[in-house]
């Protein structure tokens, strides 16, 4: 992901910049090693090794010998686990569900974040730092705590909101079979809008004021400045937050897992990660590893596919 | 839990997604697990002082262990509370080869853990075989896997009973139901009298509860014969239970919007919306502690039965298992025997941890003969003791029980949400039980 971040900033900051060639050898190599080791050592140990190990696990199958409680061993099974993933309707069901979630939730969240960022950047708004902090504040709440808080607002037994709606004759069921996905989406939106807004807002802050002055001299209204100048310039940030959101959606776990405590309409296989967890907790680590690898590949294809698509279009 | 930003900042999608699972996977060793009896070949007392590790989730167990330690300077016990992700902790320790000598294990998890060679067989110790007669028979049968070894001692059980709001029953002129048919009839009467009042709630996300009801009806989920596990989750008896609840749900006589032991559930009871609670022995302290205002309003009666049968059900309870690699079986048996049969220890566990003993002598504890103030001084444990006697001894759990339970829950929830019937859930759980066993190379077939 550092790649995405750097490419995005590079595009914004130094178009056409060329990296200077480093002179090899001498004390410089040592310096480079000293600076890189603190990153690459943990990266290798805690990311590459486990990923490789998970991939290796996903190629194994369990065999067993000797009676009712015989001993088990694992052996190389090729892509047998992957075949099971492909055939697993629960898995594709969860991907479909999360797809629907993402197609709706991500645009809504990012649109709201963009509007909020533009408002904060507009000269018309007073009390800017107050609004900036309050908009960002939900992000400081841990996801699980947020989901628990929201579950109290959704529960028909406890929620003042439900009581109020019932009082004015609106039958509200936030945890029903069709509503619960959007209740979870609402928690995600609440949590992440401020964060995305801040990324967009910080790119807005980096735009030189001269551009606005020039635009104003040309007779551009605030509205025109916002849509014709600001939005196109911060497009890379919007793309970046979209990619983050696609990844986050595919990894969705916390919000539905917490809501599952009070709603039976969220199954143990509701999202891909919940399915992987359920399979792992049933001691089927090899299958869980295969599911994880497939989720990772889908995430990779979607996020990089999106980046390629948008960067070509935007001519970045 | 998912944390979008950290994972992204660290190294990206591919890495982050896989890493959570690979941490789990990192602990699964591909090497065949060793023969459990090899390490346990001897039951020799150690020379000098021994320290045993004992993991559990029981509140107040530290005090019980302190008492043992003060009396037994040569067999010291160190305790660790694993309430947070109990089976995850145990599973990791097993795979890392540093499991404790003793650990709390639920009855329904015994077969799946034995399948992973998690236990040491204490039957090499004569003392371990000698305590058989001290325990409730069905519990011993499950910990000894039908007397094929001694892998754990029973600690507590959850004989089921019906908790009744006697004030609401009196108000609406209802009789205490003796059978499930009477229970359904009472539910109808209650609903007719006050549509905001329900007889009980059905939580589809609670397979352990549903399994307790299946157990009562001897709706066996598993059997082992012909060198194969016979999966019989979907059978006539289990369908009878599912049909019964389906009718109550269809007629809207029971609530389906509450999850067991959650704040919303207690709120519904608090608001006098529900008249009974189908629970286990350990539930007595839950109502007492969460519904203090309803002191004196509850009474406990035997679980309604199926027709003329007297059979009751069991929900939950735990064992203390001898774990793989235990090289101090002699001392472990001594401590485990004391922990689960000594009157003083059992009294403390009952008082501090709410445990309902699995030991026969424990059922006669003075503390369990007294009236309980919350229940208007009713001798409630007499009801549970009677229930305990009427539990089917031949019930057994499956080797992939957790997966079966999850599938059952998901399908029950679907049915409650209007997709299919509860009986379909039995078929779904049956299918998943078979599938999960096949995936782990456990020989299994449909036995119905």
């Amino acid at each position: 992901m550092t790649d995405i971040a750097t490419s995005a900033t590079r595009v914004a900051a130094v178009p056409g910049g060329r990296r200077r060639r480093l002179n090899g050898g001498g004390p410089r190599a040592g310096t480079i090693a000293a600076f890189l080791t603190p990153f690459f050592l943990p990266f290798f140990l805690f990311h590459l090794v486990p990923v490789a190990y998970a991939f290796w696990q996903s190629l194994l199958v369990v065999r067993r010998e000797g009676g009712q409680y015989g001993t088990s061993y694992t052996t190389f099974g090729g892509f047998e686990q992957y075949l099971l993933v492909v055939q697993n309707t629960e898995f594709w069901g969860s991907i479909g569900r999360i797809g629907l979630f993402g197609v709706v939730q991500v645009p809504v969240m990012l649109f709201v974040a963009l509007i909020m960022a533009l408002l904060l950047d507009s000269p018309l708004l007073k009390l800017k730092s107050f609004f900036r902090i309050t908009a960002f504040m939900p992000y400081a709440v841990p996801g699980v705590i947020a989901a628990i808080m929201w579950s109290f607002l959704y529960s028909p037994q406890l929620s003042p909101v439900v009581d109020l709606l019932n009082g004015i004759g609106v039958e509200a069921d936030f945890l029903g079979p069709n509503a619960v996905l959007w209740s979870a989406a609402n928690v995600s939106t609440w949590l992440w809008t401020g964060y995305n807004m801040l990324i967009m807002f910080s790119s807005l802050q980096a735009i030189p004021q001269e551009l606005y002055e020039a635009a104003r001299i040309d007779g551009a209204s605030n509205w025109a400045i916002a849509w014709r100048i600001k939005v196109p310039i911060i497009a890379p940030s919007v793309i970046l937050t979209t990619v983050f959101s696609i990844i986050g959606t595919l990894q969705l776990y916390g919000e539905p897992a917490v809501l599952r405590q009070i709603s039976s309409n969220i199954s143990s296989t509701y999202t891909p990660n919940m399915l992987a967890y359920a399979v792992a907790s049933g001691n089927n680590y090899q299958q869980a590893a295969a599911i994880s690898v497939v989720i990772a590949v889908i995430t990779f294809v979607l996020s990089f596919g999106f980046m390629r698509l948008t960067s070509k279009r935007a001519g970045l | 839990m998912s944390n979008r930003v950290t994972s992204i900042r660290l190294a990206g999608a591919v890495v982050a997604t896989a890493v959570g699972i690979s941490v789990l996977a990192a602990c699964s060793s591909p090497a065949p697990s060793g023969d459990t009896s090899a390490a346990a070949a001897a039951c020799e007392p150690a020379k000098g002082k021994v320290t045993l590790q004992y993991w559990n989730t029981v509140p107040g167990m530290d005090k019980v262990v302190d008492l043992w330690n003060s009396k037994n300077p040569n067999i010291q016990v160190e305790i660790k509370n694993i309430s947070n992700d109990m089976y995850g902790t145990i599973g990791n320790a097993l795979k890392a080869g540093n499991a404790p000598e003793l650990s709390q294990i639920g009855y329904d998890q015994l077969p799946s853990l034995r399948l992973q060679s998690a236990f040491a067989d204490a039957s090499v110790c004569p003392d371990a075989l000698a305590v058989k007669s001290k325990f409730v028979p069905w519990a011993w049968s499950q910990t000894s896997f039908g007397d094929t070894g001694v892998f754990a001692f029973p600690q507590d059980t959850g004989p089921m009973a019906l908790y009744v709001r006697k004030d609401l029953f009196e108000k609406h002129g209802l009789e205490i139901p003796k059978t499930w048919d009477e229970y359904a009839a009472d539910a109808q009467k209650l609903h007719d009298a006050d549509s905001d009042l329900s007889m009980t709630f059905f939580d589809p996300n609670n397979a352990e509860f549903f399994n307790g009801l299946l157990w009562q009806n001897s709706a066996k989920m598993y059997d082992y014969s012909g060198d194969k596990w016979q999966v019989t989750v979907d059978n006539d008896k289990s369908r009878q239970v599912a049909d019964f609840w389906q009718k109550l749900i269809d007629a809207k006589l029971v609530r389906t919007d509450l999850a067991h032991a959650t704040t919303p559930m207690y709120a519904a009871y608090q608001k006098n919306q529900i008249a009974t609670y189908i629970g286990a022995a350990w539930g007595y302290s839950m109502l007492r502690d969460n519904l203090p205002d309803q002191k004196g309003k509850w009474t406990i009666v035997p679980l309604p039965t199926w027709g003329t049968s007297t059979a009751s059900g069991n929900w939950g309870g735990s064992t203390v298992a001898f774990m793989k690699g235990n090289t101090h079986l002699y001392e472990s048996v001594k401590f485990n025997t004391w922990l689960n049969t000594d009157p003083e220890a059992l009294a403390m566990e009952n008082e501090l941890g709410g445990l309902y003993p699995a030991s026969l002598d424990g059922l006669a504890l003075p503390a369990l003969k007294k009236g309980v103030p919350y229940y208007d001084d009713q001798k409630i444990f007499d009801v549970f003791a009677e229930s305990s006697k009427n539990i089917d001894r031949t019930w057994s759990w499956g080797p992939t029980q957790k997966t079966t339970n999850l599938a059952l829950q998901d399908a029950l929830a679907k049915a409650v949400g209007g997709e299919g019937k509860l009986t379909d859930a039995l078929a779904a759980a049956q299918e998943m039980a078979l599938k999960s066993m096949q995936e782990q190379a456990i020989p299994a077939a449909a036995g119905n």
Side-chain angles (χ1 to χ4, degrees):
Chain A
M1 206 47 42
T2 31
D3 279 350
I4 299 171
T6 41
S7 66
T9 35
R10 195 177 62 217
V11 165
V14 273
R18 223 192 157 88
R19 216 177 283 170
R20 200 157 47 87
R21 243 199 136 87
L22 293 161
N23 304 323
R28 275 205 131 161
T31 319
I32 291 166
F35 275 100
L36 289 183
T37 309
F39 169 73
F40 275 104
L41 192 68
F43 180 73
F44 177 77
L45 284 178
F46 301 113
H47 285 287
L48 297 183
V49 171
V51 168
Y53 187 74
F55 182 67
W56 169 242
Q57 284 286 314
S58 72
L59 300 176
L60 301 177
V61 286
V62 177
R63 296 281 182 264
R64 199 173 288 280
E65 54 193 20
Q68 186 177 8
Y69 292 105
T71 50
S72 66
Y73 59 92
T74 49
T75 179
F76 186 77
F79 288 94
E80 197 174 308
Q81 299 290 1
Y82 289 94
L83 195 65
L84 288 171
V85 178
V86 172
Q87 291 168 344
N88 190 339
T89 50
E90 294 288 335
F91 176 73
W92 295 111
S94 72
I95 292 281
R97 198 173 291 122
I98 231 58
L100 182 65
F101 178 104
V103 163
V104 176
Q105 189 262 344
V106 173
V108 168
M109 172 179 67
L110 294 180
F111 184 71
V112 173
L114 180 64
I115 298 295
M116 280 162 62
L118 289 171
L119 282 175
L120 280 180
D121 193 53
S122 116
L124 303 171
L125 192 76
K126 305 279 176 259
L127 293 172
K128 274 185 195 163
S129 55
F130 170 75
F131 285 115
R132 199 168 58 220
I133 290 292
T134 43
F136 185 66
M137 215 181 280
Y139 175 67
V141 178
V144 175
I145 305 294
I148 291 172
M149 277 164 33
W150 277 100
S151 69
F152 276 83
L153 292 175
Y154 292 150
S155 163
Q157 290 302 312
L158 309 165
S159 170
V161 179
V162 175
D163 279 350
L164 204 72
L165 288 171
N166 286 342
I168 59 167
V170 179
E171 197 79 19
D173 183 8
F174 293 115
L175 302 172
N178 298 317
V180 76
L181 182 68
W182 307 116
S183 297
N186 177 50
V187 181
S188 298
T189 309
W190 183 82
L191 264 172
W192 294 98
T193 303
Y195 167 78
N196 290 309
M197 175 214 67
L198 213 68
I199 293 180
M200 297 177 192
F201 179 68
S202 58
S203 335
L204 283 171
Q205 297 278 291
I207 301 175
Q209 294 294 317
E210 293 81 18
L211 273 178
Y212 303 151
E213 274 169 37
R216 256 187 218 101
I217 291 166
D218 287 346
S221 63
N222 279 329
W223 184 255
I225 291 175
W227 290 108
R228 297 261 172 86
I229 297 176
K230 293 183 179 181
V231 173
I233 290 180
I234 66 161
S237 307
V238 177
I239 291 167
L240 186 73
T241 52
T242 310
V243 172
F244 284 1
S245 304
I246 290 172
I247 295 167
T249 301
L250 279 154
Q251 292 184 9
L252 195 70
Y253 182 91
E255 293 91 333
V258 170
L259 290 181
R260 178 172 149 76
Q261 306 294 321
I262 58 160
S263 172
S264 57
N265 292 310
I266 294 181
S267 68
S268 65
T269 58
Y270 202 70
T271 73
N273 263 5
M274 287 173 78
L275 172 67
Y277 180 77
V279 170
S281 74
N283 296 320
N284 197 347
Y285 295 109
Q286 294 77 21
Q287 175 65 13
I291 292 171
S292 306
V293 172
V294 175
I295 297 171
V297 169
I298 293 173
T299 311
F300 191 84
V301 168
L302 281 181
S303 44
F304 284 87
F306 178 80
M307 291 235 306
R308 275 191 77 89
L309 191 82
T310 47
S311 52
K312 264 189 197 154
R313 268 234 197 111
L316 299 169
Chain B
M1 307 286 151
S2 85
N3 184 334
R4 296 184 184 192
V5 183
T6 0
S7 10
I8 289 150
R9 283 195 184 144
L10 285 175
V14 184
V15 178
T17 319
V19 87
I21 299 307
S22 55
V23 168
L24 291 170
C27 304
S28 77
S29 142
S33 357
D35 185 5
T36 46
S37 56
C43 185
E44 297 292 322
K47 295 178 186 87
K49 191 175 149 186
V50 169
T51 303
L52 304 174
Q53 298 291 325
Y54 165 40
W55 292 1
N56 70 89
T57 68
V58 183
M61 192 53 95
D62 49 335
K63 301 206 171 59
V64 184
V65 167
D66 284 347
L67 179 67
W68 165 269
N69 283 341
S70 66
K71 289 180 174 178
N72 298 274
N74 282 328
I75 307 175
Q76 290 290 296
V77 176
E78 275 178 16
I79 197 165
K80 179 169 153 182
N81 190 308
I82 51 166
S83 305
N84 191 4
D85 194 16
M86 173 178 178
Y87 293 108
T89 310
I90 294 168
N92 289 347
L94 280 167
K95 277 157 195 151
N98 55 11
E101 275 80 14
L102 296 161
S103 180
Q104 178 183 346
I105 306 285
Y107 293 97
D108 61 349
Q109 298 303 319
L110 287 169
S112 78
L113 280 162
R114 184 172 171 197
L115 205 73
Q116 299 166 58
S117 309
F119 302 131
D121 185 356
S123 64
V124 287
C125 299
D127 288 354
L129 293 166
V131 293
K132 174 182 176 180
S133 59
K134 288 180 183 268
F135 291 104
V136 173
W138 71 260
W140 182 265
S141 170
Q142 290 190 8
T143 55
S144 68
F145 293 76
D147 285 317
T148 58
V150 177
F151 302 96
F153 285 172
Q155 180 158 64
D156 73 313
T157 63
M160 293 172 80
L162 184 68
Y163 294 65
V164 176
R165 275 288 295 273
K166 52 185 178 185
D167 58 326
L168 295 177
F169 264 54
E170 267 161 33
K171 185 179 161 195
H172 295 288
L174 297 183
E175 298 279 327
I176 298 289
K178 294 211 164 47
T179 64
W180 285 114
D181 283 342
E182 289 176 21
Y183 186 78
D186 277 352
Q188 184 67 56
K189 282 182 206 158
L190 208 57
H191 184 72
D192 293 344
D194 180 354
S195 61
D196 288 337
L197 185 58
S198 297
M199 190 64 160
T200 189
F201 67 99
F202 181 83
D203 174 10
N205 256 345
N206 197 330
E208 287 81 7
F209 163 74
F210 194 74
N211 291 344
L213 296 175
L214 295 183
W215 189 340
Q216 182 194 21
N217 203 22
S218 293
K220 283 203 179 66
M221 299 173 92
Y222 303 91
D223 211 348
Y224 188 82
S225 66
D227 290 340
K228 267 194 178 86
W229 285 87
Q230 308 288 331
V231 182
T232 53
V233 179
D234 188 7
N235 63 50
D236 290 344
K237 299 269 195 178
S238 60
R239 259 178 256 137
Q240 186 185 12
V241 176
D243 276 332
F244 174 81
W245 285 94
Q246 186 68 52
K247 278 185 197 133
L248 290 182
I249 292 166
D250 286 344
K252 302 211 180 310
L253 301 181
V254 296
R255 297 268 295 260
T256 54
D257 59 340
L258 301 171
H260 183 254
T262 56
T263 317
M265 180 199 89
Y266 290 121
Y269 277 104
Q270 186 68 43
K271 293 178 190 167
N272 305 314
Q273 293 171 346
I274 306 178
T276 69
Y277 168 72
I278 298 168
W282 41 260
Y284 92 94
S285 55
M286 281 173 40
L287 297 195
R288 182 193 65 195
D289 300 342
N290 289 286
L291 303 167
D293 297 350
Q294 293 180 356
K295 182 172 191 253
K297 292 182 175 169
W298 289 94
T299 186
I300 299 176
V301 299
L303 195 63
T305 58
W306 291 104
T308 53
S309 158
T310 55
S312 189
N314 181 79
W315 174 10
S318 276
T319 72
V320 179
F322 302 96
M323 303 304 284
K324 181 183 181 179
N326 187 329
T327 52
H328 295 297
L329 279 175
Y330 178 83
E331 291 78 11
S332 299
V333 167
K334 273 205 168 337
F335 168 69
N336 207 346
T337 305
W338 176 85
L339 187 69
N340 294 310
T341 62
D342 182 82
E344 201 180 355
L346 292 174
M348 283 177 83
E349 288 156 23
N350 177 258
E351 194 194 325
L352 301 170
L355 298 190
Y356 186 71
S359 131
L360 290 167
D361 290 345
L363 298 181
L365 282 179
L368 298 183
K369 291 282 161 198
K370 286 191 292 202
V372 178
Y374 181 81
Y375 297 90
D376 216 359
D377 288 326
Q378 185 196 357
K379 293 180 177 175
I380 58 167
F381 293 109
D382 289 353
V383 180
F384 293 117
E386 190 58 31
S387 169
S388 178
K389 280 184 204 150
N390 292 320
I391 290 167
D392 179 2
R393 304 175 179 194
T394 58
W395 182 268
S396 63
W397 301 105
T400 57
Q401 189 69 46
K402 217 177 201 170
T403 307
T404 309
N405 283 354
L406 280 179
L408 181 64
Q409 287 176 178
D410 286 350
L412 287 175
K414 260 192 193 165
V416 166
E419 257 185 80
K421 298 284 172 196
L422 295 185
T423 42
D424 300 336
L426 297 168
Q430 161 112 12
E431 194 188 321
M432 189 48 127
L434 279 167
K435 183 174 167 244
S436 61
M437 288 193 206
Q438 274 159 12
E439 285 181 9
Q440 295 191 49
I442 301 163
N448 43 5

